Amino acid sequence: MEKNGKTIVLGVIGSDCHAVGNKILDYAFTQAGFNVINIGVLSPQEDFINAAVETNADAIIVSSLYGHGEIDCRGMKEKCLEAGLEDILLYVGGNLVVGKQDFADVKKRFIAMGFDRVYPPGTDPQVGIKDLKHDLGIE
Amino acid sequence: MEAILLIDFGSTYTKLTAVDMENEEIIATAKALTTVDKDIMIGFNNAYSEIEEILKDKQVNFIEKLACSSAAGGLRMIAIGLVPELTAEAAKRAALGAGARILGVYSYELSRREMGEINSKKPDIILLAGGTDGGNKDCIIHNAKLIAENIKGVPIVVAGNKNAVDDIEDIFKSENIYYKVTDNVMPKLNMLNVEPAREVIREIFMEKIVEAKGMKNAENFINGILMPTPAAVLKAARVFADGTDKEEGIGDLIVIDIGGATTDVHSIGDGEPTKPGVTIRGLQEPYAKRTVEGDLGMRVSAISLWESAGTRRIRKFIPDTKFDIENRCRILQSNVDMLPQNEEEEEFDEALGMAATEIAMERHVGVLESVYTPMGVIYSQVGKDLLNVRHIIGTGGILVHSRHPKKILKAGFYNNETSEYLKPINPEVLIDKSYIMSAMGLLAEKYPDTAIRIMKKYIVKV
Ligand code: B12
């Protein structure tokens, strides 16, 4: 695997302890050449942001599996702006909300919150990787 | 007889400990007021003549004389990092473990105003960190530039993003700044790497600070002032816990040192969770960890101790006292040499010691946070889990002199009512009653086996 020189911060936000998907994402993004800073499960917004500041990350990849994604992600973009991370890309995926809601609607709400990309449940990590390479102009 | 003389140039007293290397015994101790303002050797000689007096009937040959020092304000340091919880915290931990007194911790890109502030604090050394290796460079380079322009004559330890080192060296060289580069205190996110910085801080302490503090002439008579006193205590604790190739240590331990101005806590142990299913969060903890509470002390900091603890918390330890708690603390702070004259005053001091122990331990140990889910409670841990630490050692004035040191230290044990603090559940209490920890730290530099055996003899169960 060849390094592509880009750094991402990866983690599962809030009081969410679903660990399996996080390990898979770590593996997939590392294989794709990213320098992955994995802050793991049970991670508050501040931990994502602090990690991104110290490591000069290019993107933050948030997972939320347990249905409280909307509450947990609120205000994250604003905090990034406060921390001087104006240009950092914000991606989010997993089971963002409870139950079967119309995804188009969910996506709209997360975009309004300042996320650059929002993925429905069960999205293949490769989809996110392809988008990220595109958004960072490395492919 | 061959002996080694160990010297602690303390802020108030210069303390001497003579060790018989053959029998591994302490053959004499003495102390005299530290005289750093005029000539550090005056106080030393006062104590030394006492030692000579004690040993006058023996043929003692001091083959080595080793010293540590916290005189002239101790090792005064500033720690600088990027994010407060990350590299700034890592820098602070490195400096504390090197035995420093932290004058301030700064984060993010600094301002000229902050430079003025740092200058006015008159640090001996500045530790400059920021960014993981390969991470943020802008901040540490910005701060290096500001330091080069604004702060003269203070040695700088650079322990940040390795990718910024070339730029920083150019900046410091062009401004003739004395600096040393070492490994990043946080090379990867949440990974702590404090030992290289601690070592470099010690080098600068020996090369520059001893002289700057007017203690160079001491080195004509003694073999060297090797480290700041708190670093010697931490070293002793570490050797005592870990042991050596030949000599077994006593395992994970905590040292509590309650002084007039501060309360220090040292812990040796990895602090990994002792319960299953606990997730660790945040910056890694140092294996040998030192924290210093500047607001918790028996005299100089008696009022701030009262302010931090509150009247009710102190009264909890001394429910029937006739003293007005606030008032008594004020009296103690304005009479720093005051010793308890009767049982009531003794009990009051003990209560202050207990409050200091309880709070200092709560700040030192890890905290377990519970997250409630329909599956039950899950836990995340920030800091060190010290529940199963087997020994807690008391040193410092009140603990050494009190008749009830165990009672005082029990305030630092695990408590069901505040079960989130991962304090030791039922450790054995040992007291450094001959006050030898710093001396043993010095001895352990060269003779660790002997130091352990002496500690086993003299640091005793109560
Ligand atoms: C195993 C499991 C658990 C285990 C977790 C063990 C552990 N530590 O990992 C335990 C039993 C502890 C658990 C607890 C709970 N769980 Co659960 N759990 C599951 C289960 C069965 C599998 C999760 C899993 O590992 N999947 C496999 C991995 C590989 O997939 P993944 O996590 O979805 O991640 C992938 C994708 O989502 C995607 N992805 C994720 N993030 C991102 C981000 C981007 C940018 C991209 C591109 C892709 C991407 O890539 C990942 C890798 O392929 C799911 C149901 C299911 N079949 O998915 C429920 C499920 C996730 N749990 C659920 C719930 C509600 C809970 C609980 C609240 C209580 C409960 N009713 O069980 C608690 C919450 C605990 C907490 N605080 O977090 C719900 C969530 C409902 C919702 N969001 O609407 C689910 C969907 C079950 C359900 N259908 O009700 N759970």
Side-chain angles (χ1 to χ4, degrees):
Chain A
M1 146 212 64
E2 211 173 294
K3 286 266 169 211
N4 64 26
K6 300 292 181 188
T7 298
I8 63 163
V9 173
L10 172 73
V12 184
I13 200 164
S15 309
D16 192 337
C17 73
H18 291 91
V20 182
N22 172 262
K23 296 262 152 43
I24 292 175
L25 287 164
D26 188 339
Y27 181 80
F29 277 88
T30 303
Q31 284 302 307
F34 289 93
N35 172 30
V36 179
I37 311 295
N38 190 356
I39 62 171
V41 298
L42 296 173
S43 293
Q45 288 184 4
E46 290 72 20
D47 286 10
F48 284 91
I49 289 163
N50 288 340
V53 170
E54 290 277 6
T55 61
N56 212 23
D58 302 285
I60 294 176
I61 312 287
V62 179
S63 292
S64 175
L65 289 315
Y66 71 157
H68 306 295
E70 210 167 337
I71 300 170
D72 290 341
C73 292
R74 208 168 278 158
M76 184 144 184
K77 178 71 182 179
E78 288 77 5
K79 288 209 186 83
C80 286
L81 294 176
E82 286 286 355
L85 301 171
E86 296 87 0
D87 303 324
I88 201 158
L89 290 167
L90 281 181
Y91 284 21
V92 65
N95 311 311
L96 296 177
V97 293
V98 181
K100 289 199 166 47
Q101 298 187 31
D102 176 19
F103 182 71
D105 206 40
V106 173
K107 184 170 173 177
K108 212 154 75 193
R109 299 209 295 271
F110 276 84
I111 297 279
M113 274 158 59
F115 283 84
D116 298 283
R117 300 244 182 204
V118 186
Y119 298 96
T123 303
D124 188 331
Q126 295 308 327
V127 177
I129 288 168
K130 195 162 171 278
D131 289 342
L132 186 57
K133 285 186 169 168
H134 173 266
D135 291 353
L136 291 172
I138 55 174
E139 216 170 65
Chain B
M1 158 205 323
E2 296 210 323
I4 291 186
L5 186 65
L6 304 158
I7 305 131
D8 176 2
F9 293 107
S11 48
T12 321
Y13 290 106
T14 296
K15 298 183 271 291
L16 270 48
T17 307
V19 175
D20 168 355
M21 289 302 282
E22 205 176 286
N23 297 308
E24 306 193 325
E25 268 170 3
I26 293 169
I27 46 176
T29 60
K31 69 176 183 180
L33 284 172
T34 295
T35 51
V36 75
D37 295 339
K38 290 174 237 139
D39 176 356
I40 190 101
M41 293 311 282
I42 298 175
F44 171 83
N45 285 324
N46 290 339
Y48 190 65
S49 34
E50 237 182 89
I51 294 269
E52 283 181 317
E53 181 60 30
I54 298 169
L55 299 177
K56 66 173 185 292
D57 299 329
K58 296 183 183 152
Q59 292 275 314
V60 176
N61 172 27
F62 285 117
I63 50 170
E64 256 170 300
K65 305 189 187 81
L66 305 171
C68 59
S69 161
S70 56
L75 174 60
R76 299 160 56 88
M77 285 191 64
I78 296 279
I80 301 174
L82 172 49
V83 172
E85 296 86 351
L86 296 172
T87 45
E89 177 65 24
K92 177 182 164 195
R93 288 182 189 172
L96 278 172
R101 225 178 96 192
I102 306 288
L103 308 174
V105 181
Y106 293 84
S107 41
Y108 302 119
E109 289 188 2
L110 300 182
S111 62
R112 281 198 299 275
R113 179 182 288 265
E114 286 172 304
M115 288 295 128
E117 211 179 283
I118 292 173
N119 268 325
S120 71
K121 289 179 177 167
K122 300 202 175 10
D124 297 317
I125 299 178
I126 295 174
L127 176 56
L128 177 63
T132 53
D133 285 345
N136 183 292
K137 296 200 285 190
D138 300 347
C139 179
I140 191 170
I141 290 172
H142 169 96
N143 290 342
K145 270 187 202 139
L146 268 191
I147 289 171
E149 283 162 18
N150 293 284
I151 297 178
K152 300 294 173 198
V154 181
I156 315 287
V157 175
V158 181
N161 183 355
K162 76 178 174 66
N163 302 50
V165 166
D166 286 348
D167 290 359
I168 293 171
E169 290 206 78
D170 290 344
I171 295 163
F172 283 165
K173 276 191 188 128
S174 72
E175 293 283 340
N176 275 322
I177 302 287
Y178 181 90
Y179 70 93
K180 282 193 180 199
V181 176
T182 185
D183 296 348
N184 197 343
V185 286
M186 194 184 84
K188 286 182 180 174
L189 186 75
N190 287 339
M191 180 197 276
L192 191 72
N193 176 40
V194 288
E195 297 302 334
R198 286 179 182 178
E199 206 38 57
V200 170
I201 291 167
R202 203 176 86 147
E203 279 168 25
I204 297 183
F205 175 81
M206 289 195 292
E207 283 166 21
K208 299 227 136 202
I209 310 303
V210 167
E211 184 167 6
K213 289 194 181 289
M215 297 189 286
K216 195 76 192 165
N217 52 348
E219 298 199 330
N220 297 330
F221 184 71
I222 61 183
N223 303 82
I225 300 182
L226 304 183
M227 58 184 106
T229 305
V233 175
L234 193 60
K235 170 87 189 175
R238 193 166 183 164
V239 171
F240 199 19
D242 293 353
T244 58
D245 179 41
K246 293 206 192 80
E247 207 53 50
E248 199 175 352
I250 64 167
D252 288 2
L253 59 81
I254 294 169
V255 180
I256 298 192
D257 181 350
I258 311 173
T262 65
T263 297
D264 287 27
V265 180
H266 308 247
S267 68
I268 312 296
D270 62 17
E272 293 290 315
T274 51
K275 291 182 184 149
V278 175
T279 310
I280 292 206
R281 287 211 302 114
L283 183 63
Q284 200 184 358
E285 291 282 329
Y287 174 72
K289 173 171 178 164
R290 168 174 178 251
T291 48
V292 179
E293 308 307 337
D295 60 337
L296 308 177
M298 301 293 300
R299 294 293 180 269
V300 181
S301 311
I303 297 176
S304 55
L305 168 55
W306 166 73
E307 284 168 347
S308 298
T311 302
R312 272 178 284 126
R313 194 162 183 173
I314 296 174
R315 184 173 298 128
K316 180 177 83 183
F317 296 115
I318 186 166
D320 302 323
T321 185
K322 66 168 184 148
F323 290 115
D324 176 273
I325 288 173
E326 175 183 353
N327 196 33
R328 177 76 188 160
C329 289
R330 291 195 185 278
I331 291 170
L332 290 174
Q333 175 149 344
S334 37
N335 298 280
V336 294
D337 298 326
M338 202 149 140
L339 293 171
Q341 298 302 322
N342 53 46
E343 203 157 317
E344 275 162 337
E345 294 184 359
E346 224 168 81
E347 278 173 6
F348 192 89
D349 266 8
E350 285 167 6
L352 284 188
M354 288 158 90
T357 302
E358 185 178 76
I359 299 170
M361 280 294 282
E362 284 178 4
R363 294 181 188 165
H364 183 92
V365 303
V367 178
L368 205 58
E369 286 168 19
S370 34
V371 182
Y372 295 93
T373 74
M375 302 296 298
V377 190
I378 50 175
Y379 295 99
S380 77
Q381 172 186 329
V382 179
K384 284 174 120 170
D385 179 342
L386 301 176
L387 288 171
N388 290 346
V389 166
R390 298 213 310 268
H391 294 96
I392 186 161
I393 302 173
T395 182
I398 172 131
L399 287 166
V400 172
H401 295 120
S402 160
R403 285 184 294 155
H404 311 106
K406 191 165 182 175
K407 178 175 121 190
I408 297 171
L409 289 181
K410 272 197 163 164
F413 288 16
Y414 177 83
N415 179 342
N416 259 327
E417 281 158 40
T418 52
S419 58
E420 66 272 28
Y421 295 109
L422 303 170
K423 302 194 275 190
I425 291 176
N426 195 16
E428 192 147 46
V429 172
L430 305 176
I431 296 297
D432 175 23
K433 80 175 177 359
S434 324
Y435 220 149
I436 56 164
M437 290 238 23
S438 57
M440 289 306 111
L442 286 169
L443 191 65
E445 277 291 298
K446 265 199 178 162
Y447 309 98
D449 298 331
T450 314
I452 296 176
R453 289 193 291 264
I454 292 180
M455 283 192 275
K456 283 181 181 165
K457 243 192 255 183
Y458 287 86
I459 297 180
V460 290
K461 222 191 288 186
V462 289

